[in-house]
Amino acid sequence: LNFIGNEFGHPEWIDMPCERNGQSFDKARRRWDLADDSRLLFADLLEFDRAMLHAERALLWLTATAPRGLGSQVRWCEARQFLWFARAEALFVFNFHPEQQLDADIASCGLCAPLQLALSSDLVAYGGLGRAAMATHAPITAATCGGSCPPTDTEILLHVVVPPSTGCVFCRPQALN
Protein backbone atom coordinates (compact mmCIF):
# COMPACT_ATOMS: atom_id res chain seq x y z
CA LEU A 1 0.00 0.00 0.00
CA ASN A 2 2.95 2.32 0.10
CA PHE A 3 6.10 2.66 -1.97
CA ILE A 4 8.83 0.43 -0.61
CA GLY A 5 12.31 1.87 -0.47
CA ASN A 6 12.43 5.63 -0.67
CA GLU A 7 9.41 6.72 1.35
CA PHE A 8 11.47 7.81 4.36
CA GLY A 9 14.97 7.89 2.92
CA HIS A 10 14.68 10.21 -0.05
CA PRO A 11 17.98 10.61 -1.89
CA GLU A 12 19.25 14.13 -1.41
CA TRP A 13 22.04 13.68 -3.90
CA ILE A 14 23.21 10.70 -5.90
CA ASP A 15 26.94 10.44 -6.49
CA MET A 16 28.28 7.02 -5.67
CA PRO A 17 31.89 6.66 -4.49
CA CYS A 18 34.35 6.65 -7.39
CA GLU A 19 37.82 7.95 -8.30
CA ARG A 20 36.40 11.28 -9.45
CA ASN A 21 35.04 12.10 -5.95
CA GLY A 22 37.86 10.43 -4.00
CA GLN A 23 35.71 7.37 -3.08
CA SER A 24 33.55 9.66 -0.95
CA PHE A 25 30.20 8.62 0.47
CA ASP A 26 29.45 12.28 1.22
CA LYS A 27 27.04 12.68 -1.73
CA ALA A 28 25.62 9.14 -1.58
CA ARG A 29 23.28 9.57 1.33
CA ARG A 30 19.67 9.48 2.21
CA ARG A 31 17.75 12.04 4.20
CA TRP A 32 16.01 10.26 7.05
CA ASP A 33 14.72 13.48 8.61
CA LEU A 34 11.96 14.16 6.06
CA ALA A 35 9.22 12.43 8.09
CA ASP A 36 10.05 14.74 11.02
CA ASP A 37 9.12 17.87 9.04
CA SER A 38 5.34 18.37 9.48
CA ARG A 39 5.25 20.71 6.46
CA LEU A 40 6.02 17.77 4.18
CA LEU A 41 3.75 14.86 3.28
CA PHE A 42 6.40 12.38 4.44
CA ALA A 43 4.98 12.74 7.98
CA ASP A 44 1.55 11.67 6.68
CA LEU A 45 3.09 8.74 4.83
CA LEU A 46 4.83 7.67 8.03
CA GLU A 47 1.46 7.71 9.86
CA PHE A 48 -0.07 5.59 7.08
CA ASP A 49 2.84 3.18 7.31
CA ARG A 50 2.33 2.85 11.08
CA ALA A 51 -1.40 2.22 10.65
CA MET A 52 -0.75 -0.34 7.92
CA LEU A 53 1.76 -2.18 10.11
CA HIS A 54 -0.73 -2.14 13.03
CA ALA A 55 -3.43 -3.62 10.78
CA GLU A 56 -1.03 -6.25 9.45
CA ARG A 57 -0.07 -7.31 13.00
CA ALA A 58 -3.76 -7.76 13.81
CA LEU A 59 -4.81 -9.48 10.57
CA LEU A 60 -1.54 -11.20 9.51
CA TRP A 61 -2.25 -10.88 5.78
CA LEU A 62 1.40 -11.11 4.75
CA THR A 63 1.78 -14.66 6.06
CA ALA A 64 -1.77 -15.82 5.28
CA THR A 65 -2.58 -18.09 2.39
CA ALA A 66 -5.21 -17.05 -0.11
CA PRO A 67 -8.73 -18.31 0.52
CA ARG A 68 -9.86 -21.30 -1.53
CA GLY A 69 -12.13 -21.13 -4.56
CA LEU A 70 -13.37 -17.75 -5.70
CA GLY A 71 -11.54 -16.00 -2.90
CA SER A 72 -8.13 -17.10 -4.19
CA GLN A 73 -8.35 -14.82 -7.20
CA VAL A 74 -7.29 -11.26 -7.64
CA ARG A 75 -10.18 -9.74 -9.49
CA TRP A 76 -9.63 -6.84 -11.87
CA CYS A 77 -12.07 -4.63 -13.75
CA GLU A 78 -10.12 -3.03 -16.60
CA ALA A 79 -12.92 -0.72 -17.72
CA ARG A 80 -13.38 0.83 -14.27
CA GLN A 81 -9.73 0.49 -13.17
CA PHE A 82 -10.14 -1.29 -9.86
CA LEU A 83 -9.11 -4.58 -8.31
CA TRP A 84 -9.97 -6.51 -5.18
CA PHE A 85 -8.82 -9.63 -3.38
CA ALA A 86 -8.91 -11.25 0.05
CA ARG A 87 -6.08 -12.27 2.35
CA ALA A 88 -6.49 -13.49 5.91
CA GLU A 89 -9.63 -11.79 7.25
CA ALA A 90 -9.23 -8.71 5.06
CA LEU A 91 -10.73 -7.56 1.78
CA PHE A 92 -8.46 -5.22 -0.20
CA VAL A 93 -10.06 -2.87 -2.72
CA PHE A 94 -7.99 -0.52 -4.90
CA ASN A 95 -9.56 2.15 -7.10
CA PHE A 96 -6.90 3.23 -9.59
CA HIS A 97 -9.15 5.57 -11.54
CA PRO A 98 -7.86 9.14 -11.10
CA GLU A 99 -11.29 10.80 -11.25
CA GLN A 100 -14.17 8.35 -10.80
CA GLN A 101 -15.40 7.05 -7.47
CA LEU A 102 -15.89 3.30 -7.39
CA ASP A 103 -19.51 2.48 -6.56
CA ALA A 104 -20.05 -1.21 -7.28
CA ASP A 105 -21.29 -4.56 -6.06
CA ILE A 106 -18.37 -6.97 -5.76
CA ALA A 107 -18.02 -10.55 -4.59
CA SER A 108 -16.76 -10.81 -1.02
CA CYS A 109 -14.00 -13.30 -1.93
CA GLY A 110 -15.28 -15.77 0.65
CA LEU A 111 -15.21 -13.40 3.63
CA CYS A 112 -18.16 -13.42 5.97
CA ALA A 113 -20.06 -10.23 6.62
CA PRO A 114 -20.26 -7.69 8.10
CA LEU A 115 -17.11 -5.87 7.02
CA GLN A 116 -15.99 -2.40 8.07
CA LEU A 117 -13.34 -0.02 6.82
CA ALA A 118 -10.06 -0.77 8.60
CA LEU A 119 -7.64 1.33 6.56
CA SER A 120 -7.95 3.87 3.75
CA SER A 121 -5.16 5.71 2.00
CA ASP A 122 -7.54 8.68 1.60
CA LEU A 123 -7.90 9.54 5.29
CA VAL A 124 -6.86 13.10 6.20
CA ALA A 125 -4.50 11.70 8.86
CA TYR A 126 -2.48 10.12 6.03
CA GLY A 127 -2.45 13.16 3.73
CA GLY A 128 -5.61 12.12 1.87
CA LEU A 129 -8.70 14.16 1.10
CA GLY A 130 -10.91 12.50 3.71
CA ARG A 131 -13.52 11.17 1.31
CA ALA A 132 -15.66 8.38 2.74
CA ALA A 133 -15.19 4.74 1.78
CA MET A 134 -17.67 2.06 2.81
CA ALA A 135 -18.81 -1.50 2.30
CA THR A 136 -22.38 -2.64 2.85
CA HIS A 137 -24.15 -5.89 2.10
CA ALA A 138 -26.06 -6.34 -1.12
CA PRO A 139 -28.44 -9.22 -1.85
CA ILE A 140 -26.87 -11.72 -4.21
CA THR A 141 -28.83 -12.89 -7.22
CA ALA A 142 -27.87 -14.34 -10.56
CA ALA A 143 -28.82 -10.99 -12.10
CA THR A 144 -26.58 -8.87 -9.88
CA CYS A 145 -23.51 -10.99 -10.45
CA GLY A 146 -24.25 -11.74 -14.09
CA GLY A 147 -23.95 -15.46 -13.41
CA SER A 148 -20.15 -15.09 -13.09
CA CYS A 149 -20.08 -15.59 -9.31
CA PRO A 150 -22.38 -18.41 -8.30
CA PRO A 151 -24.10 -17.81 -4.96
CA THR A 152 -22.68 -20.00 -2.20
CA ASP A 153 -22.81 -19.94 1.58
CA THR A 154 -19.55 -18.00 1.71
CA GLU A 155 -19.82 -15.84 -1.42
CA ILE A 156 -21.88 -12.73 -0.82
CA LEU A 157 -21.97 -9.43 -2.60
CA LEU A 158 -20.74 -6.28 -0.98
CA HIS A 159 -21.61 -2.82 -2.13
CA VAL A 160 -18.40 -0.82 -1.96
CA VAL A 161 -17.79 2.88 -2.39
CA VAL A 162 -14.13 3.83 -2.79
CA PRO A 163 -12.87 7.32 -3.73
CA PRO A 164 -10.62 7.81 -6.78
CA SER A 165 -6.93 6.86 -6.43
CA THR A 166 -7.54 5.13 -3.11
CA GLY A 167 -6.68 1.78 -1.55
CA CYS A 168 -8.89 0.39 1.23
CA VAL A 169 -8.83 -2.57 3.56
CA PHE A 170 -12.10 -3.91 4.97
CA CYS A 171 -12.36 -6.49 7.76
CA ARG A 172 -14.76 -7.83 10.38
CA PRO A 173 -15.28 -5.30 13.23
CA GLN A 174 -13.63 -7.49 15.89
CA ALA A 175 -10.60 -8.42 13.74
CA LEU A 176 -8.55 -5.33 14.63
CA ASN A 177 -9.06 -5.54 18.39
Side-chain angles (χ1 to χ4, degrees):
L1 292 174
N2 70 11
F3 178 75
I4 298 171
N6 282 330
E7 62 271 24
F8 307 117
H10 187 75
E12 179 181 15
W13 186 289
I14 301 175
D15 189 10
M16 300 308 287
C18 62
E19 279 187 35
R20 180 179 41 80
N21 64 18
Q23 304 297 333
S24 171
F25 282 89
D26 185 49
K27 300 295 184 195
R29 64 176 183 254
R30 301 229 183 242
R31 292 195 52 198
W32 299 103
D33 62 320
L34 296 178
D36 300 329
D37 189 341
S38 62
R39 297 170 299 158
L40 301 176
L41 291 177
F42 290 98
D44 297 332
L45 185 57
L46 180 59
E47 286 306 311
F48 178 77
D49 195 59
R50 286 180 179 143
M52 186 173 57
L53 290 173
H54 171 75
E56 203 295 321
R57 281 195 283 298
L59 299 169
L60 302 173
W61 65 65
L62 291 176
T63 57
T65 57
R68 289 188 178 135
L70 292 172
S72 66
Q73 303 168 4
V74 173
R75 298 164 186 206
W76 168 251
C77 179
E78 182 74 36
R80 296 182 63 196
Q81 299 179 4
F82 75 95
L83 66 82
W84 74 102
F85 62 92
R87 287 295 179 276
E89 294 293 316
L91 177 68
F92 295 79
V93 182
F94 296 89
N95 181 4
F96 293 105
H97 200 287
E99 299 168 354
Q100 292 181 4
Q101 173 173 285
L102 170 64
D103 192 343
D105 291 336
I106 64 171
S108 70
C109 298
L111 294 177
C112 297
L115 298 178
Q116 72 176 20
L117 181 66
L119 187 62
S120 171
S121 63
D122 196 52
L123 293 178
V124 174
Y126 311 137
L129 300 176
R131 299 165 293 188
M134 59 176 240
T136 56
H137 313 292
I140 187 164
T141 66
T144 55
C145 66
S148 63
C149 53
T152 68
D153 291 338
T154 59
E155 194 69 6
I156 60 170
L157 281 185
L158 295 173
H159 183 78
V160 295
V161 178
V162 178
S165 302
T166 301
C168 293
V169 179
F170 298 95
C171 69
R172 290 180 295 113
Q174 64 274 23
L176 286 178
N177 293 339

